[in-house]
Structure formats: structure tokens, C-alpha cells
Amino acid sequence: RGKLHELNRLLRGATDTSFLNSRRVESSTDTRPSPTSSSVPSGVRYVITLDADTRLPRRAARQLVGKMAHPLNRPKIDKLTGRVSEGYAVLQPRVTPALPTGRAGSLFQRIFSGPGGMDPYAFVVSDVYQDLFEEGSYSGKGIYDVDVFEAALHGRVPENTVLSHDLLEGIFAGSGLVSDIEVVEEFPTRYDVAAARQHRWVRGDWQLLPWIFGHGRDSSGKTGHRKIPLTGRWKMMDNLRRSLSAPAAFLALLGGWTLPFASAAVWSGFVLATIALPPLLPFFAGIIPRRRRISKRSHVRAVGKDLSLALSQIGFHVSLLAHQAWLMTDAIVRTLFRLFIS
């Protein structure tokens, strides 16, 4: 983390950042950057952050600014905790995966880029934290208030210690989910690309382990166990729980296969059912038509498509379970070694 902090300082007049403060000279003979001509705009109030593979639809930026400027969303910082206690300094739009068209998408992308995919950070339409606690989860794509964001995060995290900084930024600056505004993000076309991204996310999640137990240090080296709210800690623990699902399922299967045949079959069926249930939920929900005047042929075709997609996802999950267990274990052990030993 740190590049948003540097950008905020640059927008507020700092000259010692690593950003190249220059613009191209409009000349037919010389197009070299001119270090003396500033290209930093003045009076910037909001910044929209996007990943390189994220598309911002038309009018989405204006809608995000309107949401931030709404009186009920204007952020207020609690002087005692230093966190945003009212409103939101960060608003996270809904993230929709880009649908593969024709032969452009791979088999992996066509199977997992739907709402039943394996990406826990995308496909957000509703969020239990937003619905129950009026607090969303920032995932790096959204809009933030420069001054409030900088004030809430100043000196919070030491440099080069946290990979998954988005969650921490959303906890301190106050993040909200905007489900009626969406951005479109490309889904990985190959499993190895998705696995590498997942490995990086899990490493970042386990780097937050000291923060969960109140030992997270700020830039001055002091611990601030009271600065993380209970819902924020629960989000971190939920990420750790998610990363342990594949290793736990794999170990459960291995343990079950040591039992007698009848017990091993029941145990294996139970573990496989826990893997199969989430992909099958859209199929079960679609058996009964939601609207009237739908032809039986169209309804059967739609239900059959849901079933085919669910069976494909189940097959991929079971086939990749051993590798997912190894991948998650490697990320967890590697992070714990770096945190507490090296």
C-alpha cells in the first residue's frame, strides 16, 4: 500500500512523491516531458480508483460523484478513534464480470465468470455487512474523498507490511456498497492466472492476522487494538475461513477414506455435497418460474442450462480440490513464515 497516499499528497501540493510531475509540451518539434510544467489539477475532491482490466460505463463516474456528495453519505471522522463514524469516505460500486462472447472466452471463463463463480470479491449485488451494519467492503474499485480518506489513514499502516490494503482502507475510511452503479471487470481466461491472483489475495488476507488479535502496528510502531471495530475483524476472519475451505475439505476426504467402506462412502458424500450445494442453488431456485406467461420450452431450456453450468462447476471444483488445497496451504504457510520468522 502507499500509492493512494502518495497520490493524495501530490494532489494537495507535495513535491517529494515518486510521481512524475510533468506534462508533454504541445509542439510539433519537441514532445519530451517538461519537468517544469505541472500537470497536477487543483481542487480535486474525489478520486475514482479502477484496476487495469476494469471498464467504467458511461455516466457511472457522474453517478458515483452524486452518491458521494449526497448529504446522508458525507463522511464525518470520530476524533477519538480517528475512523469515519458517519457517512462514507469510500463508495464501492457493483462489480460485474465481462461476459465472454462467442469463441473469445475460454472454457474456464465461460464456466466460472457467472454469478456462481469462485471469485469472492466480484458478483456483489447485495452485501450482508452493508445490509445489517451499513458498512461495505472496499475491494480497490470505487470513489473516495481525498481529504477524509487521507485523514483517516494517515500513519495507520507501516510501509511494505500489508498486501491486501483495500479492506483496511475501507474499515478506517468507512466503505459503502453502491449496488445500483456497476463497473465491468474482465475475468481471467485461464485457471493458472486466476490461481495466481487467488494466491496473492490469500497472502494478503493472512498478513492481517496481527490486526485481528489487536497486534497490528501503525507507522510509529504502536499497536492499536481498539482501532479495529468488531465488524472489521469479522471480515478479516471470514477471509481466513474462506481460504481454509479447500484444505479442510481435502483433509476431510483423506480422513474419511481411512474409515470402513460404508462410513467412508457416507463421509465422502457429505463432503462432496458441501462442495456441490453452492453451484446447485441457482438451479433449485430456477425450477419454479418467477414470471407468468413463460413457455415451457424456454423454462426447461433455462433450467437445463443452469444444471449444466452447475455440474461443470462441481466437476471443476472436485478436480481442482487437491491443487486448491495445496495453493491455499502454500499461501498461508508462506505468509506465516514471513510474518513471524523471517
Side-chain angles (χ1 to χ4, degrees):
R1 73 166 304 274
K3 59 185 177 182
L4 293 183
H5 170 63
E6 266 200 313
L7 176 62
N8 297 338
R9 293 183 60 246
L10 177 70
L11 293 175
R12 291 299 178 256
T15 59
D16 58 344
T17 66
S18 59
F19 285 90
L20 297 179
N21 186 12
S22 62
R23 64 183 177 187
R24 293 193 177 276
V25 178
E26 298 296 334
S27 172
S28 59
T29 58
D30 188 1
T31 59
R32 292 174 299 176
S34 172
T36 59
S37 56
S38 174
S39 60
V40 180
S42 59
V44 174
R45 183 174 177 182
Y46 303 126
V47 168
I48 295 178
T49 61
L50 300 171
D51 291 333
D53 56 354
T54 307
R55 307 174 197 169
L56 186 68
R58 293 184 62 185
R59 294 185 295 274
R62 177 175 294 183
Q63 292 173 339
L64 286 172
V65 172
K67 295 282 187 181
M68 286 293 294
H70 193 280
L72 294 179
N73 293 332
R74 290 177 183 173
K76 296 181 181 179
I77 294 183
D78 188 338
K79 296 182 179 179
L80 182 62
T81 62
R83 292 186 291 106
V84 172
S85 58
E86 296 182 25
Y88 305 103
V90 181
L91 288 180
Q92 165 84 38
R94 184 172 79 244
V95 181
T96 302
L99 296 177
T101 57
R103 298 181 179 179
S106 64
L107 177 63
F108 174 78
Q109 189 179 27
R110 288 195 295 270
I111 290 177
F112 284 106
S113 63
M118 60 192 299
D119 183 354
Y121 293 95
F123 324 126
V124 175
V125 175
S126 180
D127 183 75
V128 64
Y129 299 106
Q130 183 69 52
D131 297 338
L132 297 181
F133 307 107
E134 298 183 352
E135 179 181 329
S137 298
Y138 182 45
S139 62
K141 292 165 280 290
I143 184 172
Y144 69 86
D145 186 301
V146 174
D147 291 325
V148 180
F149 187 91
E150 185 63 21
L153 289 165
H154 180 70
R156 290 282 191 179
V157 185
E159 291 295 327
N160 302 319
T161 57
V162 175
L163 185 64
S164 290
H165 54 86
D166 301 334
L167 182 60
L168 272 181
E169 290 168 347
I171 291 173
F172 288 126
S175 175
L177 173 66
V178 186
S179 60
D180 58 341
I181 303 176
E182 68 175 350
V183 295
V184 181
E185 187 172 62
E186 294 291 338
F187 193 85
T189 58
R190 303 199 314 270
Y191 170 71
D192 60 335
V193 177
R197 184 173 68 168
Q198 199 173 12
H199 189 274
R200 184 176 68 251
W201 284 343
V202 172
R203 296 202 321 269
D205 292 335
W206 281 85
Q207 283 178 341
L208 300 178
L209 191 63
W211 295 84
I212 297 177
F213 294 102
H215 300 295
R217 299 183 179 275
D218 56 20
S219 58
S220 62
K222 298 180 180 179
T223 59
H225 62 282
R226 294 184 179 179
K227 297 179 181 179
I228 299 289
L230 183 61
T231 54
R233 296 191 190 190
W234 186 261
K235 290 180 185 179
M236 299 177 187
M237 294 177 62
D238 192 33
N239 288 342
L240 303 190
R241 188 270 313 164
R242 187 184 295 113
S243 66
L244 291 171
S245 296
F250 184 72
L251 290 177
L253 284 176
L254 292 182
W257 292 339
T258 63
L259 302 174
F261 178 77
S263 300
V266 174
W267 185 254
S268 300
F270 174 76
V271 175
L272 293 177
T274 62
I275 298 175
L277 184 59
L280 285 173
L281 286 179
F283 164 72
F284 293 138
I287 292 179
I288 300 177
R290 298 182 181 180
R291 302 191 309 269
R292 295 182 178 181
R293 298 179 181 179
I294 298 179
S295 66
K296 294 181 180 179
R297 179 179 299 179
S298 299
H299 178 64
V300 171
R301 186 185 298 115
V303 172
K305 187 177 180 180
D306 289 340
L307 179 60
S308 175
L309 179 62
L311 293 177
S312 300
Q313 291 179 355
I314 294 171
F316 263 87
H317 278 301
V318 174
S319 302
L320 300 171
L321 180 61
H323 182 262
Q324 280 285 304
W326 166 255
L327 189 74
M328 298 296 98
T329 304
D330 177 80
I332 294 170
V333 173
R334 190 185 300 265
T335 303
L336 294 178
F337 177 80
R338 291 174 177 175
L339 275 177
F340 302 111
I341 299 178
S342 70

